[in-house]
Structure formats: structure tokens, C-alpha cells
Amino acid sequence: MTDAQRAPAPAPSEPPADVDGVLGLLQRGNYVADRSLATVLFLALKLGRPLFLEGEAGVGKTEIAKVLSETLNRDLVRLQCYEGLDVASAVYEWDYPRQMVEIRLSEAAEDRDRGSLESTIFSERFLIERPLLKALKPSIKGPPVLLIDELDRTDEPFEAFLLEVLSDFQITIPELGTIAAPQPPIVIITSNRTREIHDALKRRCLYHWVPYPDAQRELEILRVKAPNAPDLLSREIVGFIQKLRDLDLFKLPGIAETIDWAEALIQLDKVALDPQAIDDTLGVLLKYQDDIAKIEGSQAAQLLTEVKREQAALPQG
């Protein structure tokens, strides 16, 4: 008997009954959220509406869907968007090779019933489900979490296709008819705002802008995600990154870069920032050479001096 046979899968959890419950749910998933995000997430769960999250890359939008999936014990169905995404990749496609084999077998058996053959090869037996169709199918774990990630990377025609999915939670397949979800999935849509999303799609969703965290929340995130970082190091990291975000850089560091930088400095046995360590590890934080060239050296040293002065002025204990 395998371990999976001995231990039945845990039952899915019902969404929290109030905003505090959502905050607690996110905390159990090690996600540090402010109350405004918890409130809109509660409303999306309560009203059964898709939640459209917009914000800079790296602020934790995608992570919300992952945390919901883990803490509610639901399947996570992820559709990663990209330019040129089409229905065959996002919704369904027919298994043409198997259909051809079925046709050849029918011809070999001299089965001339054309109508019967068409109904056979255009049945669910030959249907390959892609993420959107999978998310509408019933599951023993309950409605899944459907993550439509970085919607701004797709083309407008694909946005138009999503309207039926997001308003009626159904998909129409010409050869089969309409397939509707018995229970709507929990839908999280993210966008890095590289282009505007059409109003028709936004109207079907609740909207929330996910900003960069303030210093206090970013410090809480770091304590959760990088618990081995010394307290002084964590404070200086947060102070330095908050100052970086006030500068005119091509790409500002997100929360993921904050955590990566802390982990990198831990590996280098650092207990506090120093100019050399910053210059040596700027590639963890910044991903463009022009940004690195602008910061390293005197600019980094000046920012660090300001951070240490501010930390020294804080009440101790």
C-alpha cells in the first residue's frame, strides 16, 4: 500500500467568512497582505467574481493565486499568457492524429455511416483540454483556482474570447456545444500594465492595484520569507531597496528581488550591508546594466550612508 493510499487527500476548505478570515488564510500561506487587498479578495470569493490584479512585475500578484490554491486545498490551473496565444493553446484542441487513426479504422471496417463517424471523432474522447477548459470541469477538490497570468501580454482578440468565460463561466465548442462550469472557479487575473486591458473585460472583474509594499510591510515579508536573515541586515536591505525605488531606474526591484538579495547576502555571511557587498551583489537586485552602472560605487555608498543614519535614529529595543 502506498502512502497516498494510506492517507486520503485533505478535503478542500471553504473560503473565509470575513475579511479577517482572508487575512488569516493569507498568513497561513506566508503571504503578508494589507487589509485593502484582503477586502477585495474576500469580496471576489464571496461574490464569485474574477479578481483583476494590476501592478508592477514582482509585487506578488501571481503568488496570491498560489497561496489560495495551497490554503484552500484547490487545484491551481495556470494559463501563462503570451503574444499570439490562441484558443488551441488556452482552451482546447482536437487530437488530430488519433482522429485520423479512428477514420482509418472506420474505413478499414468499411463503416460508411458518415454521421456516426463525425459524432465519434468530435466527442470528448478526442478533445485535448487546455487550462481554461480544465478550470470549468468538476473536480473532487471543488472549484479550482484559475490563474490567468500576465494578461497584458496577449492580443486583444484573446481578451474578447475571455468575455464569455469570465461572465458566464462557460465555453462554446462548435462541434460539442456549450460546456458550463457546475461551480465557478476562483479566478485571479494579473497584468503588469505593459498595455491597457479593455474595459469590457475589467467590468467583469473586481479590480485591485498591487503597489510596492511600504517599508514596514516589506520588513514583515522579509521576516517571513527569509527568516535566517539577521534583523539589522533585513532592516538595511529594506531601507536600501525603498530608496532604490525612488530613483529613476529602468526596472525597479520587486519583492522577489528583495528576498533573493537577502538570501544571497546570507550565503555571503553578511550581518549588515557594506559598500563592497552591495556592489558585488547588485546583479541580484537590478537586471539592466545601465541601472547597475548608475547605482554601483558612489551612489550605492551614499544610499547606504543614508540608510544607516536613519536606522541609527530609530528607537532601540
Side-chain angles (χ1 to χ4, degrees), residues 97-265:
R98 289 186 60 217
Q99 285 177 317
M100 288 303 300
V101 170
E102 188 72 13
I103 292 171
R104 296 284 184 265
L105 290 174
S106 178
E107 290 174 345
E110 297 185 348
D111 181 357
R112 302 299 183 187
D113 187 343
R114 187 183 181 90
S116 174
L117 179 60
E118 285 187 358
S119 64
T120 298
I121 63 174
F122 288 111
S123 65
E124 292 198 35
R125 189 155 63 96
F126 295 96
L127 192 66
I128 300 175
E129 297 176 352
R130 300 304 186 197
L132 291 182
L133 184 56
K134 283 182 182 177
L136 300 184
K137 291 300 189 70
S139 168
I140 193 172
K141 298 173 73 174
V145 177
L146 170 60
L147 169 62
I148 303 176
D149 208 13
E150 299 183 337
L151 179 61
D152 51 320
R153 290 179 179 270
T154 62
D155 307 315
E156 290 187 4
F158 185 76
E159 273 185 50
F161 176 82
L162 282 178
L163 298 181
E164 180 186 17
V165 179
L166 298 180
S167 59
D168 300 324
F169 298 107
Q170 66 180 33
I171 286 170
T172 300
I173 300 175
E175 298 86 350
L176 288 180
T178 299
I179 297 177
Q183 291 180 284
I186 299 168
V187 183
I188 304 293
I189 303 171
T190 74
S191 167
N192 294 333
R193 210 177 188 182
T194 57
R195 67 171 178 84
E196 286 295 327
I197 301 300
H198 199 280
D199 286 346
L201 190 141
K202 285 186 173 181
R203 282 198 302 271
R204 287 159 170 79
C205 307
L206 302 187
Y207 175 85
H208 186 76
W209 173 262
V210 184
Y212 288 116
D214 60 22
Q216 183 59 40
R217 192 162 74 86
E218 189 154 32
L219 187 58
E220 291 177 30
I221 293 170
L222 207 51
R223 285 169 173 165
V224 170
K225 296 293 188 180
N228 294 326
D231 187 64
L232 176 61
L233 180 64
S234 295
R235 290 180 179 278
E236 291 184 348
I237 286 172
V238 170
F240 191 87
I241 289 179
Q242 292 277 326
K243 290 187 178 298
L244 277 186
R245 292 188 186 131
D246 290 334
L247 302 180
D248 182 21
L249 299 177
F250 184 75
K251 173 67 176 70
L252 301 178
I255 298 172
E257 282 76 27
T258 304
I259 298 167
D260 287 347
W261 199 32
E263 295 289 357
L265 292 167

Side-chain angles (χ1 to χ4, degrees), residues 85-106:
L85 180 64
D86 58 10
V87 171
S89 301
V91 190
Y92 74 93
E93 65 178 325
W94 293 107
D95 190 341
Y96 295 118
R98 289 186 60 217
Q99 285 177 317
M100 288 303 300
V101 170
E102 188 72 13
I103 292 171
R104 296 284 184 265
L105 290 174
S106 178

Side-chain angles (χ1 to χ4, degrees), residues 31-98:
Y31 191 98
V32 180
D34 58 25
R35 194 167 186 85
S36 63
L37 173 58
T39 300
V40 74
L41 182 54
F42 164 72
L43 292 174
L45 294 171
K46 195 71 175 177
L47 301 175
R49 297 281 299 278
L51 178 56
F52 184 76
L53 298 174
E54 207 165 39
E56 299 293 338
V59 294
K61 304 183 297 295
T62 301
E63 188 68 14
I64 292 173
K66 294 178 180 177
V67 169
L68 282 178
S69 169
E70 292 170 3
T71 53
L72 293 174
N73 190 31
R74 308 291 180 90
D75 291 328
L76 176 64
V77 181
R78 179 173 184 168
L79 175 62
Q80 180 62 55
C81 298
Y82 54 87
E83 187 177 358
L85 180 64
D86 58 10
V87 171
S89 301
V91 190
Y92 74 93
E93 65 178 325
W94 293 107
D95 190 341
Y96 295 118
R98 289 186 60 217

